[in-house]
């Protein structure tokens, strides 16, 4: 039996619209911060939306994918807790990761095999961007 056979995408389809909405809102809010680095409130909203998406992914049993979303959340948290203006490189990385996450969710919802290790290279970037040690 393959991993795809074991994944029941039914629960994902029930919450997919909410996850998509949260990811889109997070990307929009990060775009606001990228265009004006003095803004801090949109960064907090972006982080909240990513946190919601991570929770929903965990609830529907996509643990590896939820860990990827949590890595985005942690990066945004690290960016927001510094007293300095947000690093545009980190914000761009978070936006790219949100896009990849959205695409991955769309693919598995359409029947592609669930292979969360495909996200590992970008996961590693997210972890190391906040100066944490990435798993080997």
């Amino acid at each position: 039996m393959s991993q795809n056979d074991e994944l029941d995408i039914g629960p994902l389809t029930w919450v997919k619209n909410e996850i998509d909405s949260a990811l889109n809102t997070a990307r929009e809010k990060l775009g606001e911060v990228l265009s004006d680095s003095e803004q801090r409130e949109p960064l907090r909203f972006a982080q909240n939306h990513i946190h919601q998406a991570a929770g929903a992914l965990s609830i529907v049993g996509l643990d590896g994918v939820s860990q990827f979303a949590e890595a985005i959340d942690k990066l945004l948290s690290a960016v927001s807790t510094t007293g300095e203006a947000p690093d545009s490189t980190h914000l761009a990385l978070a936006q790219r990761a949100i896009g990849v996450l959205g695409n991955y969710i769309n693919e598995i919802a359409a029947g592609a095999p669930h292979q969360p290790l495909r996200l590992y290279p970008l996961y590693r970037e997210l972890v190391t961007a906040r100066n944490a040690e990435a798993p080997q």
Side-chain angles (χ1 to χ4, degrees):
M1 180 177 280
S2 74
Q3 196 172 21
N4 191 43
D5 292 336
E6 296 173 19
L7 177 66
D8 177 10
I9 63 167
L12 175 62
T13 61
W14 301 331
V15 296
K16 187 175 178 312
N17 287 337
E18 288 78 11
I19 293 170
D20 290 344
S21 177
L23 295 178
N24 289 333
T25 300
R27 286 185 69 161
E28 289 171 15
K29 295 299 179 184
L30 289 178
E32 290 177 25
V33 179
L34 279 166
S35 66
D36 179 5
S37 63
E38 296 299 314
Q39 295 192 63
R40 300 296 251 183
E41 197 66 19
L43 183 57
R44 201 178 89 231
F45 282 121
Q47 185 183 0
N48 287 339
H49 285 286
I50 292 300
H51 189 78
Q52 290 172 359
L57 290 165
S58 180
I59 288 170
V60 298
L62 295 174
D63 296 328
V65 182
S66 68
Q67 288 177 347
F68 183 83
E70 288 169 9
I72 301 169
D73 183 9
K74 288 178 182 176
L75 176 62
L76 294 178
S77 176
V79 168
S80 69
T81 57
T82 67
E84 305 166 7
D87 182 338
S88 62
T89 304
H90 289 139
L91 296 177
L93 172 60
Q95 272 197 320
R96 182 167 52 102
I98 293 167
V100 168
L101 177 59
N103 287 339
Y104 184 85
I105 292 167
N106 287 337
E107 289 173 8
I108 60 173
H114 176 43
Q115 300 168 330
L117 284 176
R118 289 182 13 215
L119 301 171
Y120 179 76
L122 188 52
Y123 173 80
R124 185 175 177 81
E125 276 187 67
L126 291 165
V127 172
T128 57
R130 61 184 172 84
N131 296 320
E133 188 175 329
Q136 298 297 324

